Amino acid sequence: MARLFVSIFLRGAILALGTAALGASARSLTVPQAGTYEAEDAVLTGTSVDTAQAGYTGEGYVTGFDASGDKITFHVNSSSVALFDLSIRAAAVYGDKRTTVVLNGGASSEVFLAAGTAFAAVAAGQVLLTTGTNTIDVVSNWGWYLIDSITLSPATVRGAAHPGVVAAPVNPAPSAGAAALYRYLRFIYGKKILAGQQDLAWADWVAAQTGGRAPALVSVDLIDYSPSRVERGTVGTAVEDALAHAARGGIVSVLWHWNAPAGLYDTEENKWWSGFYTRATDFDVAAALADVTGANYTLLLRDVDAIAVQLKRLQAAGVPVLWRPLHEAEGGWFWWGAKGPEAAKQLYALLYERLTVFHGLDNLLWVWNSVAPEWYPGDATVDIVSADVYAQGNGPMSTQYNQLIDLGRDSKMIAAAEVGAAPLPDLLQAYGAHWLWFAVWGDTFINSPDWNSVDTLKTIYSSDYVLTLDEIQGWRG
């Protein structure tokens, strides 16, 4: 790919110029940090300037982003350490897309670009500029989109207090354990973050790497209790793991990769055990929900009832659960989100009624796991809002945090329920991203130096801001 090196400058302003070599044909210009930066004036790698799409500002926009590594690099000079809101003016003319923002070659964040035929400003989280020259890369992710410009606006770091958070769980009659867990989470929210890990075995691995500092929270997956998997021979052990972590004084989170109730393709490309993916089943959740006398609706209830059996084991043991069903629904890659937000919200309502009312499960705190407003099932059935974020660099994930603040109107606590890279506590505090907990995914993420080096894990787990298992003993009191 050809590289086009051009200088950065802020249009419409009088700039003090300073020269420094960027490449054979480019100069770096000294600019004030706030303002709008045109993409065509950035350093381009594998991308190019075009003018075919109407509505751009400046002299054009940047297109390409058809290969990994294609990017735009903005150079921004700052006279001090300062936090800025970042927005990207983009057009996702080929459908919903995602781009990655990387600050100073380190922490990255993923930004969703909604499909549209016109350029529009998209909130892209925040960037903490350091004194001197900073780089902001906009890197190909789900490629084929158009970038017109970025804008930096001074930001105010959010305070630790969240007085508007609802005082009690949405279940009007929670178990004593669920009520105590909710009180404890409200007490630490904004002040500390719970270290978490997906799967008990990987939690033990983390403790071995960090000198015995174990995750406070362990997340388990009820996938193997799905009836369409059980009938093919799977035997779940997640509940045993949850009970073991609870016996250590830990906090338990539960998700469910719900293998579709029926319609599994079970082909060489899409095996039966991948039946939670949209691509692996023809199960139509909208059609099933529309016919309450139909066989597929009955199968939905069968599956929920099977999971209720496992959740009742935790209830009987006095274990409160951070329950995260229908995760990542808005992505559409799981069958429960494949038919759009209305079907997903209807299924969530069914889950809430069936588990809370019909089965009397009072030990569940309900965790919603999508950031888009049109997918939100409503305050009445959600205790905590959350996002799953896979971005390298151990950054603060401020894009998603700010989206969730808006989604819950700062009345719901916010969790990083599933992440690829554990966040650095200093960045969390600098950005005011008050995640309640993080939980790193297991194999290929927690043990990958590209995502989480052992030294980084030691830094995180030794921080006063991060709560580990030994530090939360007695949380019920």
Side-chain angles (χ1 to χ4, degrees), residues 162-170 174 178-179 182-184 186 383 411-413:
H162 296 265
V165 169
V166 177
V170 292
Y182 192 86
R183 284 195 302 272
Y184 176 71
R186 281 191 72 224
D383 290 303
S411 68
K412 303 290 183 179
M413 292 179 284

Side-chain angles (χ1 to χ4, degrees), residues 108-468:
S108 66
S109 61
E110 187 177 78
V111 180
F112 177 72
L113 306 176
T117 58
F119 285 103
V122 178
Q126 294 167 314
V127 289
L128 184 67
L129 300 185
T130 59
T131 303
T133 300
N134 298 262
T135 60
I136 300 173
D137 294 329
V138 179
V139 186
S140 180
N141 186 327
W142 294 9
W144 299 100
Y145 40 77
L146 316 177
I147 303 295
D148 184 37
S149 63
I150 65 169
T151 297
L152 297 172
S153 306
T156 301
V157 178
R158 189 176 288 106
H162 296 265
V165 169
V166 177
V170 292
N171 185 339
S175 69
L181 178 57
Y182 192 86
R183 284 195 302 272
Y184 176 71
L185 296 177
R186 281 191 72 224
F187 174 72
I188 66 170
Y189 184 51
K191 309 181 193 75
K192 304 282 187 178
I193 186 170
L194 293 164
Q197 179 57 46
Q198 181 66 38
D199 298 331
L200 185 62
W202 285 111
D204 292 341
W205 181 89
V206 169
Q209 310 308 308
T210 59
R213 305 299 296 271
L217 176 148
V218 165
S219 175
V220 300
D221 188 351
L222 300 185
I223 181 172
D224 282 332
Y225 301 101
S226 300
S228 66
R229 293 173 72 93
V230 172
E231 66 191 19
R232 290 169 168 83
T234 65
V235 178
T237 59
V239 172
E240 283 76 12
D241 287 348
L243 290 169
H245 186 65
R248 299 174 179 177
I251 293 170
V252 171
S253 178
V254 177
L255 76 151
W256 180 21
H257 278 94
W258 186 350
N259 229 54
L264 304 179
Y265 294 144
D266 198 13
T267 63
E268 194 62 34
E269 297 79 17
N270 295 293
K271 297 289 191 180
W272 60 266
W273 39 261
S274 63
F276 48 89
Y277 283 117
T278 299
R279 58 172 170 76
T281 178
D282 64 5
F283 189 82
D284 187 325
V285 63
L289 290 167
D291 182 6
V292 297
T293 62
N296 282 342
Y297 187 85
T298 301
L299 288 175
L300 287 175
L301 295 182
R302 175 205 66 178
D303 285 14
V304 176
D305 292 347
I307 294 304
V309 171
Q310 305 306 323
L311 293 173
K312 285 179 179 180
R313 294 172 62 192
L314 296 171
Q315 181 187 40
V319 177
V321 172
L322 295 165
W323 170 234
R324 182 168 65 101
L326 309 188
H327 67 292
E328 301 176 15
E330 67 190 38
W333 42 77
F334 299 140
W335 62 263
W336 51 84
K339 298 301 178 179
E342 296 311 313
K345 288 187 287 188
Q346 188 178 351
L347 182 60
Y348 183 88
L350 172 65
L351 275 163
Y352 184 87
E353 191 281 333
R354 191 76 176 178
L355 294 177
T356 303
V357 179
F358 183 82
H359 285 291
L361 282 159
D362 57 5
N363 62 321
L364 308 180
L365 297 181
W366 287 76
V367 182
W368 179 245
N369 191 234
S370 291
V371 300
E374 63 270 24
W375 290 79
Y376 186 54
D379 290 347
T381 54
V382 173
D383 290 303
I384 296 165
V385 291
S386 70
D388 293 356
V389 185
Y390 284 83
Q392 292 178 307
N394 307 97
M397 305 171 289
S398 65
T399 303
Q400 292 78 13
Y401 184 82
N402 291 336
Q403 289 172 320
L404 291 169
I405 282 283
D406 292 340
L407 180 68
R409 304 176 311 285
D410 208 8
S411 68
K412 303 290 183 179
M413 292 179 284
I414 297 173
E418 186 179 309
V419 301
L424 286 163
D426 288 351
L427 291 179
L428 292 175
Q429 295 172 88
Y431 280 76
H434 303 143
W435 297 101
L436 184 57
W437 77 81
F438 68 82
V440 183
W441 198 250
D443 195 20
T444 73
F445 288 98
I446 187 60
N447 59 336
S448 167
D450 293 334
W451 288 87
N452 300 280
S453 71
V454 170
D455 285 343
T456 298
L457 290 176
K458 289 178 178 178
T459 296
I460 292 169
Y461 272 75
S462 64
S463 169
D464 289 340
Y465 186 71
V466 177
L467 293 172
T468 51

Side-chain angles (χ1 to χ4, degrees), residues 82-102:
L83 185 67
F84 288 84
D85 291 321
L86 172 67
S87 69
I88 301 174
R89 193 166 189 268
V93 295
Y94 303 109
D96 289 345
K97 299 293 180 181
R98 296 173 192 270
T99 191
T100 299
V101 174
V102 182

